[in-house]
């Protein structure tokens, strides 16, 4: 225990006797309080206010800035804070923490948030509890009381923090413009088709929507073009010199102050914006260029706003959506992100028109998390160098791998998979959730990652940690089930090779996987680490087959288990080629699985002229492919048990649809026989038999 | 005049192209010299022309040359990585747009986003410019990881301007 741990009891700003004391909050900044109007008293509006926002403790030797993010706009379900050390008349930054997956319980009177934090400093008190009384619109915002605990429950320091603002950060923004340049003031997002609600946005209101207050500050200057040198175009060094000269708030220290310069032309032709400050204390200045941006059309005004918000995003240490892997530590790229930080023309699902049609003029969720909760030096202008700590989720993922959580849930989560995969082979893992307390524990009936209860982290051979993001997120309305002696476990098979982050197993080497499961009671169960290896290709054939699997269309088809969609035709062609040319290759079984399952079902397509066409099940094709899958699996060269189960049931359904009752019955018997020979537990075999019978009787 | 060490090869789609549909262009940069050399694919900034190597796609035809000044290019580009500087053995080629071995190359937006709006004959060409001798015009950011090694590898990239074959494609209504 150290006095340099602000969570230890010795660090308390408030003694036990003072814990009951609350300062009169009427003088605190925050949401405006409605004046009391004399006259007939209307029935009181008892609607409670959200508690999210920024709070601050006072006193010494520690000041805590606390950010609570559990309700209000786009809540990210996180709590974070920065500690400042007070010494005499000086205050210096000490460290930060974030609780990434807290349990939030809301009663009629209080909001209580509890969870284990990740810290920039060592602490013996990693568990955080925040209690905030709920108030009505007629009352001022209440204080938040934060208490630290050890993992064993021993109490540490307590901080009472007064409400400060609905914003999580407050930044002073100074804007200057080059002579002759008229910068954008606002843009109506309804002027052109877009993906969000029509509204008038300025730079400040765009950031306000993310929870960041941009306060206009400093002196607005008109900068002579001569400052750009004899060529009248700005180089990065001239921009930096311009910042030092004209940014009246500039100091070479970390501070919540940023400079946005609206210039005419950069020396690099075609460039519309840049965060040029990548020397010394970085990220304090950025610029936009009106040679390309200038104009009064809606398209130009939209682009002006986009450029300004985008470049300021770099000042907050946000990276391009397609370049997140450059973050240190790294995180997966998100090229499909509908974010200020993307390039509209590189948006994969349809380029620039598709991007603007779908773009809601906002940051994506991980970026919002960074803006609200990043460790202070990873975001404050003049803090870490650009790229360092720019993805908070990567830091938290790193820490999750290093520090498994304490688990008293009565549940055990396990990941299973073959020890190695061929390069390009679809990586399918079995997820098993088992009750260790057989007196009974409640769990979700289905645990596929697409439902959101199970998350899987992947550490790649190069050390990069990414979270598997399913391509499609599904809603679950099934009631929880009880896991007990009668039904001790539930199983799920998940293809995790491809998701929103693209291909996750795209390089040979060793991978480490860890899953977390959020139980209905809020417990966070963490699996052991599963190690698997992706083997290097051995032959030219292996290489070609891998190439035929590493395509976005193919990844989509594997995730969807087939599709007739015209835009995925390239993927289907690639799988056909694998089956034709490499029929005996191990990976051909996956191509057949996708083709067979898709062929066995009807597929509806809406043509461009809005006509619905239905392709009927192609039973013969389906039976041929799925029988091959079953044959390969019987020989030990096929798919995992859960996928095999699914494949058999699809085959039974295909035969039934074609009226081939005998084939369907024979397939049912073969399925039961195959699994009976695998030496499964009676309860599991019983369930499989029931599933086979259900498929037969559908 | 010595033969160019790099060839830029465009290949058109096997099936006819139609108005309103994308035109699938294959791109290969191939080492046609008799010795190993290095090459870098399309980087953030390459197509916009403010970073080397520059990749300049050209499309001419009845509906080519649409307004492109609304394309957003940001100068805060990703750093160059060791893995981006590819070794090409004699006769070996690669698609400079495709991520491979950890490199993160970019698509060519002009080819990717092109949808002919009128039928007729179209011509496609790609100019690859590696002429900048100074590594600073390639690196993307000051002070990058493995900078010294990257500078050394960049010396092995043949400097010059390489023009692809001209690809003629007929677009049907």
């Amino acid at each position: 225990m150290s006095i340099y741990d602000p969570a230890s009891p010795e660090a308390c700003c408030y003694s036990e006797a003072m814990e009951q004391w609350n300062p009169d909050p009427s003088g605190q900044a925050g949401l405006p309080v409605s004046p009391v109007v004399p006259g007939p008293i209307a029935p009181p509006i008892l609607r409670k206010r959200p508690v999210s926002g920024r709070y601050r403790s006072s006193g010494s030797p520690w000041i805590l800035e606390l950010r609570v993010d559990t309700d209000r706009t786009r809540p990210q379900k996180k709590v974070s804070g920065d500690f400042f050390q007070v010494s005499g008349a000086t205050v210096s930054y000490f460290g930060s923490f974030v609780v990434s997956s807290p349990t939030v319980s809301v009663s009629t009177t209080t909001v209580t948030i509890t969870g284990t934090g990740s810290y920039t400093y060592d602490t013996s008190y990693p568990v955080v509890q925040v209690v905030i009384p709920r108030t009505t619109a007629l009352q001022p915002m209440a204080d938040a009381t934060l208490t630290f605990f050890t993992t064993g429950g021993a109490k540490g320091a307590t901080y009472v923090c007064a409400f400060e603002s609905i914003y999580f950060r407050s930044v002073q923004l100074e804007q200057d413009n080059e002579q002759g340049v008229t910068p954008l003031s606002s843009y109506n997002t309804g002027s052109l088709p877009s993906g969000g609600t029509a509204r008038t946005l300025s730079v400040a209101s765009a950031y306000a929507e993310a929870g960041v207050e941009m306060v206009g500050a400093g002196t607005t200057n008109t900068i002579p073009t001569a400052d750009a040198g004899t060529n009248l175009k700005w180089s990065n060094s001239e921009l930096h010199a311009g910042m030092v000269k004209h940014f009246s708030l500039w100091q070479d220290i970390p501070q919540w102050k940023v400079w946005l310069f609206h210039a005419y032309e950069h020396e690099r032709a075609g460039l519309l914006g840049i965060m040029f400050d990548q020397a010394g204390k970085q990220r304090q200045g950025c610029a936009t260029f009106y040679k390309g941006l200038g104009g009064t059309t809606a398209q130009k005004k939209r682009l002006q706003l986009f450029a300004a918000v985008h470049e300021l995003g770099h000042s907050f240490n946000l990276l391009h959506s397609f370049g997140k892997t450059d973050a240190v530590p790294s995180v997966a790229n998100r090229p499909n992100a509908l974010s200020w930080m993307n390039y509209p023309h590189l948006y994969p699902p349809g380029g620039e028109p598709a991007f603007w049609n779908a773009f809601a003029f906002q940051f994506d969720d991980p970026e919002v998390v960074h803006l609200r909760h990043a460790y202070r030096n990873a975001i404050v202008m003049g803090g870490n160098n650009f790229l360092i700590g720019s993805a908070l989720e990567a830091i938290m993922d790193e820490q999750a791998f290093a520090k498994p959580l304490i688990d008293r849930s009565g549940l055990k989560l396990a990941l299973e998979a073959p020890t190695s995969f061929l390069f390009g082979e679809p990586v399918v893992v079995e997820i098993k959730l088992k009750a260790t307390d057989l007196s009974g524990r409640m769990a979700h009936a289905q645990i596929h990652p697409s439902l959101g209860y199970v998350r899987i982290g992947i550490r790649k051979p190069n050390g990069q940690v990414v979270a598997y993001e399913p391509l499609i997120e599904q809603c679950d309305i099934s009631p929880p089930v009880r896991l007990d002696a009668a039904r001790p476990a539930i199983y799920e098979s998940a293809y995790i090779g491809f998701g929103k982050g693209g291909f996750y197993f795209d390089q040979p080497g060793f991978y480490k996987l860890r899953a977390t499961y959020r139980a209905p009671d809020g417990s966070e169960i963490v699996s052991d680490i599963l190690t698997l290896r992706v083997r290097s290709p051995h032959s030219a054939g292996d290489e070609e087959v891998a190439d035929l699997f590493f395509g976005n269309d193919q990844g989509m088809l594997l995730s969807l288990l087939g599709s007739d969609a015209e835009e995925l035709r390239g993927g289907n062609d690639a799988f056909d080629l694998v089956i034709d040319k490499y029929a005996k290759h191990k990976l051909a079984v996956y191509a057949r699985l996708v083709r067979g399952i898709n062929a066995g079902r009807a597929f509806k397509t809406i043509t461009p002229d809005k006509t619905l066409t239905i392709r009927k099940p192609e039973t013969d094709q389906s039976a041929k492919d799925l029988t091959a899958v079953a044959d390969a699996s019987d020989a030990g060269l096929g798919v995992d048990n859960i996928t095999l189960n699914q494949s058999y049931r699809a085959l039974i359904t295909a035969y039934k649809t074609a009226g081939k009752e005998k084939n369907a019955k024979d397939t049912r018997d073969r399925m039961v026989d195959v699994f009976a020979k695998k030496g499964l537990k009676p309860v599991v075999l019983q369930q499989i038999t029931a599933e086979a019978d259900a498929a037969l009787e559908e | 005049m010595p033969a160019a060490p790099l060839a830029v090869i465009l290949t058109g789609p096997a099936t006819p192209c139609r108005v309103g549909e994308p035109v699938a262009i294959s791109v290969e940069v191939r080492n046609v010299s008799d010795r190993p050399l290095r090459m870098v694919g399309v980087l953030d900034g390459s197509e916009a022309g403010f970073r080397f190597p520059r990749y300049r796609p050209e499309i001419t035809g009845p509906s080519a040359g649409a307004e492109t000044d609304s394309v957003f290019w940001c100068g805060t580009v990703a750093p160059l990585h060791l893995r981006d500087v590819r070794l090409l053995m004699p006769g070996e080629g690669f698609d400079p747009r495709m991520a491979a071995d950890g490199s993160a190359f970019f698509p060519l937006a002009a080819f990717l986003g092109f949808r002919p709006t009128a039928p007729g004959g179209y011509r496609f060409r790609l100019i690859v410019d590696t002429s900048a001798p100074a590594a600073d015009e390639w690196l993307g950011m000051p002070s990058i990881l493995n900078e010294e090694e990257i500078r050394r590898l960049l010396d092995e990239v043949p400097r010059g301007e390489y023009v692809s074959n001209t690809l003629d494609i007929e677009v049907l209504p």
Side-chain angles (χ1 to χ4, degrees):
Chain A
M1 214 173 300
S2 156
I3 59 165
Y4 292 105
D5 180 355
S8 69
E10 290 80 358
C12 270
C13 309
Y14 295 87
S15 66
E16 291 292 321
M18 292 174 72
E19 275 193 71
Q20 302 303 316
W21 176 82
N22 274 332
D24 176 3
S26 59
Q28 302 296 323
L31 287 174
V33 178
S34 304
V36 177
V37 180
I41 298 173
I45 300 166
L46 295 177
R47 189 172 166 194
K48 297 291 176 67
R49 306 165 80 166
V51 299
S52 288
R54 192 171 77 234
Y55 296 75
R56 190 177 299 275
S57 74
S58 56
S60 65
W62 301 105
I63 291 175
L64 169 62
E65 178 186 295
L66 174 68
R67 296 174 291 271
V68 175
D69 184 8
T70 57
D71 48 27
R72 225 183 284 279
T73 308
R74 291 181 73 188
Q76 300 297 316
K77 302 291 179 195
K78 289 186 172 34
V79 167
S80 62
D82 299 324
F83 273 107
F84 299 86
Q85 194 164 21
V86 181
S87 178
T90 61
V91 178
S92 52
Y93 168 68
F94 175 77
S96 301
F97 67 89
V98 59
V99 182
S100 56
S101 303
T103 302
V104 181
S105 74
V106 181
S107 73
T108 53
T109 56
T110 56
V111 175
T112 304
I113 307 155
T114 310
T116 303
S118 303
Y119 295 78
T120 60
Y121 53 91
D122 290 331
T123 178
S124 304
Y125 297 83
V127 178
V128 170
Q129 182 192 62
V130 178
V131 179
I132 307 172
R134 300 182 71 198
T135 57
T136 68
L138 299 176
Q139 298 169 308
M141 293 289 290
D143 294 343
T145 302
L146 182 148
T147 306
F148 290 99
F149 295 90
T150 64
T151 52
K155 189 177 172 187
T158 293
Y159 294 85
V160 176
C161 305
F163 182 79
E164 194 169 77
S165 171
I166 60 169
Y167 296 107
F168 302 93
R169 317 271 190 189
S170 184
V171 180
Q172 290 181 274
L173 170 65
E174 181 172 330
Q175 300 189 65
D176 292 338
N177 57 278
E178 184 176 339
Q179 64 183 83
V181 170
T182 306
L184 166 95
S185 57
S186 65
Y187 168 69
N188 182 340
T189 66
S191 305
L192 295 167
S194 80
T197 312
R199 59 209 189 275
T200 299
L201 276 186
S202 62
V203 167
S205 56
Y207 273 92
E209 288 188 355
V212 175
E213 182 182 31
M214 285 285 203
V215 182
T219 312
T220 299
N221 300 311
T222 298
I223 297 175
T225 303
D227 280 15
T230 52
N231 65 353
L232 307 183
K233 298 174 185 174
W234 294 90
S235 67
N236 288 348
S237 57
E238 287 162 351
L239 287 167
H240 194 276
M243 175 181 74
V244 173
K245 182 176 175 183
H246 297 287
F247 182 14
S248 60
L249 304 172
W250 184 82
Q251 295 181 73
D252 205 23
I253 57 169
Q255 54 176 355
W256 292 107
K257 295 171 185 174
V258 66
W259 187 60
L260 172 59
F261 177 39
H262 303 281
Y264 183 70
E265 187 177 8
H266 194 276
E267 66 175 4
R268 297 179 193 165
L271 195 153
L272 298 187
I274 190 167
M275 190 284 287
F276 58 82
D277 186 14
Q278 298 183 43
K281 297 288 184 191
Q282 302 185 4
R283 300 187 284 107
Q284 300 187 77
C286 57
T288 56
F289 300 98
Y290 276 67
K291 183 180 182 190
L293 292 171
T296 54
T297 64
Q299 281 88 350
K300 289 293 188 185
K301 292 182 84 169
R302 179 176 68 182
L303 204 57
Q304 290 162 15
L305 177 67
F306 188 87
V309 176
H310 177 107
E311 298 308 334
L312 283 165
H314 288 314
S315 286
F316 283 94
N317 208 7
L318 289 175
L319 309 190
H320 289 152
S321 303
F322 47 83
K324 302 287 186 189
T325 52
D326 285 315
V328 182
S330 183
V331 67
N333 290 332
R334 300 191 293 275
N336 291 344
L338 290 163
S339 161
W340 293 109
M341 301 313 295
N342 213 340
Y343 275 6
H345 60 279
L346 290 185
Y347 182 58
E352 193 165 337
F355 178 86
W356 289 121
N357 281 339
F359 181 47
F361 294 86
Q362 59 185 25
F363 293 98
D364 72 6
D365 275 345
E367 289 163 351
V368 171
V369 168
H370 174 87
L371 289 168
R372 295 178 181 181
H373 302 290
Y375 295 151
R376 186 176 188 271
N377 280 338
I379 180 169
V380 67
M381 295 81 200
N384 292 351
N385 286 353
F386 187 49
L387 310 183
I388 311 295
S390 65
L392 179 61
E393 71 272 30
I395 297 168
M396 292 188 298
D397 285 341
E398 284 277 334
Q399 292 175 341
F401 264 86
K403 296 179 184 173
L405 300 174
I406 289 174
D407 180 3
R408 301 189 189 98
S409 64
L411 293 167
K412 182 172 173 59
L413 182 69
L415 286 178
E416 292 179 8
T419 52
S420 68
F421 289 79
L422 292 180
F423 189 52
E425 183 174 358
V427 173
V428 178
V429 293
E430 285 194 15
I431 305 163
K432 178 181 176 184
L433 183 67
K434 180 182 172 188
T436 53
D437 175 0
L438 292 179
S439 64
R441 293 288 173 155
M442 297 307 290
H444 295 96
Q446 299 179 70
I447 53 173
H448 193 279
S450 63
L451 296 168
Y453 308 126
V454 169
R455 294 178 67 234
I456 299 176
I458 303 164
R459 186 196 293 276
K460 292 186 169 192
N462 63 4
Q464 180 191 358
V465 178
V466 297
Y468 164 68
E469 292 184 272
L471 211 55
I472 296 171
E473 290 166 24
Q474 299 176 315
C475 290
D476 181 27
I477 54 168
S478 53
V481 296
R482 189 173 187 82
L483 296 184
D484 52 21
R487 186 189 184 185
I490 48 178
Y491 301 83
E492 195 74 65
S493 165
Y495 165 61
I496 60 166
F498 183 83
K500 286 180 184 165
F503 284 96
Y504 296 101
F505 299 88
D506 54 357
Q507 50 191 283
F510 286 92
Y511 289 77
K512 291 183 184 299
L513 279 63
R514 169 168 268 164
T516 60
Y517 166 65
R518 172 76 64 88
D521 69 356
S523 300
E524 196 86 25
I525 296 104
V526 181
S527 75
D528 289 337
I529 289 177
L530 170 72
T531 301
L532 59 86
R533 182 166 73 93
V534 172
R535 303 202 293 272
S536 296
H538 281 301
S539 65
D542 285 348
E543 292 247 25
E544 187 175 353
V545 172
D547 285 343
L548 288 167
F549 270 75
F550 277 129
N552 281 351
D553 290 359
Q554 294 89 311
M556 296 271 282
L557 289 170
L558 286 161
S559 296
L560 302 170
L561 282 175
S563 168
D564 283 8
E566 181 56 27
E567 55 269 29
L568 299 179
R569 188 174 64 183
N572 282 319
D573 289 347
F575 285 156
D576 287 346
L577 184 57
V578 170
I579 294 168
D580 291 345
K581 191 173 174 185
Y582 295 100
K584 293 186 177 171
H585 195 278
K586 191 187 172 200
L587 266 60
V589 73
Y590 295 97
R592 287 199 175 94
L593 176 75
V594 167
R595 195 169 73 176
I597 287 190
N598 189 51
R601 61 195 178 198
F603 196 94
K604 294 184 271 305
T605 306
I606 298 173
T607 61
D609 63 354
K610 312 285 184 200
T611 307
L612 177 69
T613 62
I614 303 175
R615 192 262 296 151
K616 291 183 177 170
E618 295 165 346
T619 314
D620 290 344
Q621 181 67 61
S622 176
K624 185 180 166 192
D625 284 328
L626 295 180
T627 301
V629 172
D631 291 345
S633 301
D634 287 355
L637 299 170
V639 295
D640 65 287
N641 282 348
I642 296 174
T643 306
L644 180 62
N645 174 334
Q646 186 180 7
S647 175
Y648 268 118
R649 285 185 286 131
L651 184 53
I652 293 169
T653 305
Y655 278 133
K656 288 267 296 176
T657 307
K660 297 179 177 177
E661 295 290 336
K662 181 171 186 314
N663 296 80
K665 174 72 170 57
D666 290 348
T667 305
R668 178 265 173 213
D669 293 345
R670 181 182 175 186
M671 174 178 170
V672 173
D673 188 47
V674 162
F675 283 103
K677 287 176 182 166
K678 287 179 182 280
L680 303 173
K681 289 179 181 170
V683 66
V684 177
L685 185 60
Q686 217 170 25
Q687 191 176 336
I688 291 171
T689 304
E691 288 169 352
D693 289 339
L696 191 62
E697 285 158 21
E698 266 176 6
Chain B
M1 191 171 160
L6 287 174
V8 183
I9 303 154
L10 302 186
T11 313
T15 53
C17 300
R18 297 202 173 270
V19 165
E21 295 180 355
V23 181
I25 307 284
S26 298
V27 181
E28 185 185 7
V29 174
R30 188 184 298 168
N31 176 3
V32 291
S33 76
D34 57 2
R35 61 185 174 79
L37 52 79
R38 305 257 172 195
M39 186 53 191
V40 180
V42 183
L43 302 172
D44 189 2
S46 287
E47 188 177 353
F50 55 75
R51 184 181 191 181
F52 283 87
R54 291 175 174 162
Y55 282 82
R56 292 203 307 271
E58 291 180 354
I59 307 173
T60 55
S63 68
E67 186 184 342
T68 56
D69 66 349
S70 66
V71 174
F72 179 71
W73 295 107
C74 167
T76 314
V77 295
L80 186 65
H81 300 281
L82 263 179
R83 58 181 181 266
D84 298 331
V85 192
R86 286 192 57 142
L87 175 66
L88 292 180
M89 300 305 286
E92 186 182 0
F94 78 114
D95 184 338
R97 305 165 300 177
M98 298 299 288
D101 301 328
S103 61
F105 297 141
F106 280 63
L108 289 166
F111 287 167
L112 183 74
F114 181 63
R115 308 273 192 284
T117 56
Y122 286 81
R123 306 197 109 181
F124 294 77
R125 210 165 70 134
L126 177 63
I127 299 164
V128 181
D129 181 358
T130 62
S131 59
D136 292 343
E137 297 197 58
W138 300 61
L139 297 178
M141 293 176 64
S143 305
I144 62 173
L145 200 62
N146 302 311
E147 183 172 338
E148 197 174 322
E149 178 69 358
I150 290 173
R151 286 176 180 274
R152 190 183 67 73
L153 296 184
L154 285 177
D155 287 342
E156 298 174 24
V157 175
R159 299 306 202 262
E161 189 172 88
Y162 305 95
V163 182
S164 76
N165 56 307
T166 301
L167 191 62
D168 288 309
I169 289 179
E170 188 67 19
V171 174
L172 304 176

